[in-house]
Every structure is written in structure tokens, then in C-alpha cells.
Amino acid sequence: MGARARSAVVAGLRGLWVAVAGLAGSITLFVLSAVSVVLIALGVGALTTPWVLGLVRHWANWRRAVAAEWCGVRIPATYRPFPDGLRGGALGRAERCRLMLADPATWRDLRWLLVDMTAGFVTALLPAALVFYPLEGYALAAGLWRVFTDGTYVGWWYGFVPVSGQGTALLSALLATALLATGLFVAPALLRVHFLLTRSVLAPAAGELEQRVRVLTETRRDAVDTSAAELRRIERDLHDGAQARLVAMGMDLGTIEALIEKNPAKAKALLAQARQSSAEALTELRDLVRGIHPPVLAERGLGDAVRALALRLPVPAEVEVELAGRGDAPVESAAYFAVSEALTNAVKHAGADRIWVDITHTDGQLRISVTDNGRGGAVVADGGGLAGIERRLGTFDGVLAVSSPAGGPTMVTMEIPCVLS
């Protein structure tokens, strides 16, 4: 019983805090948002709206955090990420305003502010009322009723009980006991109802979830097609390269066996040729394995693998890595080959004489940017290398952003959700 009482009191205090803070915060932010959006027509709102909507997102994220911590209600945050190459200044804020207003999550946040200041306020206040309102009933029965009446008229109402003397004050104490008993059992559940209401408004709608399923289906199909193409490439490389050399080496060994007694000099020459063929076959097999999963990537991680890539480039490349651990092997492999493709494009098509690679991990995202000082003009076109990178990243819910004005520079930014270990 003591544990139940503590749980009810905690739920009541939390509900009271959420109700009071939520009412003030949601009203203020909704008014600011409405005024700022209206002022977009005058130009001023384009500068203020990103700041105001940023506050709304922080406010909604705080509610998400307490919902998960207090009641175990998980509310996903599905805001669209901003491109890394977003400009600064007034133009950058205007572009940020456009992107935020085009995000469905922004409008869910604004609808939630309306719900939070009305139904959300009531559902948050209910557990507090059931736990703390009975204190007034007991105070009335203890003599507080004399402050409001001399016993000849109704001087106060406690709930639906008209308090006009000691008898009705005792009735208010009886009602308070019923409310308190109810609160002990339902206050935590009522607080959870508040957060479930919040989730129903902030969580993505069914249509968005269906779109998400379609995207995942497409990326899975792309992953299957890519895997099939990779298998065909491996089979072709084995057939045309190492396999052909091994067959030739076997034929040379057969000839050597026949000539070793009759023509030792010819047999010796063929033996040297077979040894050369075996070395070339071994080199091709190593190159093939490196194309599947580079040993340096498996042994030393993404940072050192990308540094090894940079050392093999015909142009100077600087690699900056800030990683606190290792990602999952499939994620590292996808990132490695995406960087490899981006570097190849920079060398072959951009005419760059210098390349910079930055690899970081923040907020659960692996971020990689490949920048070159080439001629620019790179676009994500069907069948192109950048489109291949985009498909590869899409398998892991990653995104690709390309900033490549005519004349350069070109920045290819890749983001993949992942956890380091």
C-alpha cells in the first residue's frame, strides 16, 4: 500500500507540473507560431519562424522525453533532417523556414499545442486532482468550514457537496476519501493516458507509415538487386581472371610433367611461367576479396580504411575522422564503398586536384562529407555513380545530399543512422 501511495503521489506531482507548465508553454508557443507564420507574408516571418518552430520542437521533444521516462510511452520524432550545405544568413533562414513548413511533423507539433492546452491540460491535471484535492475536503471537516460560513448558509462547495456546517463538512471528507482511494489506484494510469493522448497527436499518421513501408520495400528491392549484381560481378571476375589463370597453370604443369626428362630447359621455362601465373592469380583473388570486404575495414575500422583509400588516390586527400567506436559491419561496409565511389567520381569526373573527407558521428548519425575543388556540376542522375550511392545508403535508411554549383566546389554528404560500439 505504501508503494501504491508513493506511486500515486509522484504521478500527481508530475501531472500537476505537466499541466501547469504545459498550459503556459503551449499557449505561448502556439501564439508565437501563429503570429510568426502570418508575418511570413511581410517577409519578417521567414526570419523568425525557424527560431519559433525550433522552440516548438524542443518543447515537443521535452514531452517525448518525460513520456518515455515517466510512463514508458515512446513517441517517435520524425523531423526531416536539414541538408548540411544549408546556407547561412537571411537566405539560409528563409530556406530553413521553407523546409520546416514543408515537414508534416511541424504541423503535427502545432496541432499538438492546441490539444495540449485543452484536453492535454485536463488529462494531466486529473491525477493531481485525485491525489491532492482530497486534502481540501479533510481540511473542511477539520474546521476550515467556519471560515466560509457560520452554519446558517452554504458558504462553500466541495465538489458537489454544499458545505454549510460541520455535518456537510464531514460529507466533504467522505467524498475526499472516495477521491483519494480512486487516485491511489488510477493516478499513474491517468498520467499515462495523458502521454498516450500526446502520442496520438505527435506520432506519424497511417499514411506516412504506409509511405515509410513503401520506401523500405523499395530499398529492400534495391538491396536484393545490388546483391545479385555483385554476385554476378564476382562470378565474372573469377571466371575471366583467377579461374582462367589457374586453368592455364594446370595446363603448364601438365606440359612440364611431359617435358621434364626430354627437354629440361623448356620445362624450366614453363615452370617459371606457372609460378608467375600463380602469383597473378593470387593477386587477383586478393583484389577480389578487397572488393567484397576490404581486410583493413574488418581489422581497423572505417576511419583507417578510408585513409587507406585516400593514400591510393592520384591527388592529395585529407581525411579527418572523429569516431568513438565501431559501427555494425554492414553499415561500415556500405559507408566505405559509398566513400570509394564518391572519391572515384571526384578523381575521374570533377577534375579535382585536392579532396577532403570528414567522418563524424553525432546524434546517432554517421555523417560523411567528401569535398573536392573540381569543376562542379555533379547531379544525382539515374544510372550514375551518385544514384548508386543513394541506393546503397537507402538500404540502411541513409540519405545523400549533393551540393555542386557550376565551377565547384562539390560536397557530397552522406548520413546513415547507426550506433557505435
Side-chain angles (χ1 to χ4, degrees):
M1 196 63 184
R4 186 181 297 276
R6 284 193 298 272
S7 177
V9 171
V10 169
L13 290 173
R14 288 173 172 174
L16 183 62
W17 164 242
V18 170
V20 174
L23 182 65
S26 294
I27 290 176
T28 302
L29 289 173
F30 184 81
V31 172
L32 287 175
S33 300
V35 172
S36 185
V37 170
V38 169
L39 290 178
I40 290 178
L42 301 179
V44 179
L47 304 179
T48 60
T49 299
W51 177 75
V52 174
L53 293 181
L55 291 179
V56 173
R57 290 187 176 188
H58 284 301
W59 183 241
N61 285 334
W62 173 76
R63 194 63 60 87
R64 291 184 176 97
V66 297
E69 181 181 353
W70 292 351
C71 294
V73 177
R74 306 290 177 180
I75 307 174
T78 56
Y79 302 112
R80 293 176 180 173
F82 296 114
D84 286 346
L86 198 62
R87 294 169 294 182
L91 290 177
R93 288 195 293 272
E95 178 66 10
R96 187 179 293 268
C97 175
R98 184 189 68 79
L99 292 173
M100 295 181 83
L101 291 178
D103 190 347
T106 297
W107 299 102
R108 286 197 299 271
D109 285 351
L110 295 177
R111 288 197 302 269
W112 168 70
L113 291 177
L114 284 173
V115 173
D116 192 52
M117 69 179 72
T118 52
F121 172 77
V122 174
T123 53
L125 193 60
L126 273 176
L130 288 174
V131 173
F132 300 116
Y133 187 50
L135 299 178
E136 181 184 337
Y138 294 135
L140 289 171
L144 184 63
W145 64 270
R146 292 185 177 87
V147 176
F148 305 108
T149 180
D150 59 3
T152 61
Y153 62 93
V154 175
W156 189 257
W157 284 80
Y158 178 76
F160 55 83
V161 176
V163 179
S164 57
Q166 185 62 47
T168 51
L170 291 174
L171 288 178
S172 68
L174 184 61
L175 176 59
T177 301
L179 292 175
L180 182 59
T182 303
L184 289 176
F185 287 92
V186 304
L190 288 176
L191 184 62
R192 181 178 174 83
V193 167
H194 167 81
F195 291 120
L196 291 175
L197 173 64
T198 301
R199 184 174 66 181
S200 69
V201 181
L202 288 179
E208 293 181 60
L209 292 176
E210 291 174 1
Q211 175 65 22
R212 175 72 177 141
V213 170
R214 284 196 295 271
V215 170
L216 291 175
T217 302
E218 292 173 2
T219 56
R220 184 182 64 180
R221 184 172 60 249
D222 289 339
V224 172
D225 293 342
T226 301
S227 297
E230 195 73 7
L231 285 174
R232 289 193 297 271
R233 180 188 68 82
I234 294 171
E235 291 173 354
R236 183 178 64 252
D237 290 346
L238 284 173
H239 182 271
D240 297 340
Q243 179 179 325
R245 294 190 183 278
L246 290 173
V247 170
M249 187 174 65
M251 295 174 64
D252 289 341
L253 291 174
T255 304
I256 292 169
E257 186 179 9
L259 294 175
I260 195 166
E261 293 182 356
K262 298 178 180 179
N263 192 345
K266 181 66 173 177
K268 185 176 181 180
L270 288 176
L271 190 61
Q273 182 177 331
R275 184 168 57 248
Q276 179 65 25
S277 295
S278 68
E280 291 175 354
L282 182 60
T283 300
E284 290 182 356
L285 286 173
R286 285 174 176 170
D287 291 340
L288 183 62
V289 170
R290 187 178 294 111
I292 299 172
H293 193 77
V296 66
L297 178 63
E299 295 170 4
R300 302 177 60 181
L302 180 62
D304 286 341
V306 173
R307 290 189 182 98
L309 271 179
L311 290 174
R312 295 198 295 268
L313 294 178
V315 300
E318 298 180 13
V319 180
E320 294 290 335
V321 180
E322 295 182 9
L323 297 177
R326 298 280 304 267
D328 293 337
V331 173
E332 285 191 336
S333 180
Y336 173 83
F337 286 109
V339 172
S340 177
E341 180 69 27
L343 292 175
T344 301
N345 288 343
V347 172
K348 285 187 176 180
H349 307 300
D353 56 22
R354 197 164 188 84
I355 301 174
W356 297 266
V357 181
D358 294 291
I359 305 175
T360 60
H361 184 273
T362 55
D363 301 328
Q365 298 278 341
L366 177 64
R367 292 185 175 90
I368 305 172
S369 65
V370 179
T371 307
D372 66 71
N373 62 352
R375 65 177 63 94
V379 295
V380 182
D382 290 341
L386 292 176
I389 295 176
E390 191 172 46
R391 288 193 301 272
R392 185 185 293 273
L393 298 181
T395 305
F396 299 91
D397 226 7
V399 294
L400 173 73
V402 179
S403 174
S404 183
T410 295
M411 175 182 284
V412 177
T413 303
M414 296 163 270
E415 292 190 0
I416 307 176
C418 75
V419 177
L420 299 185
S421 59

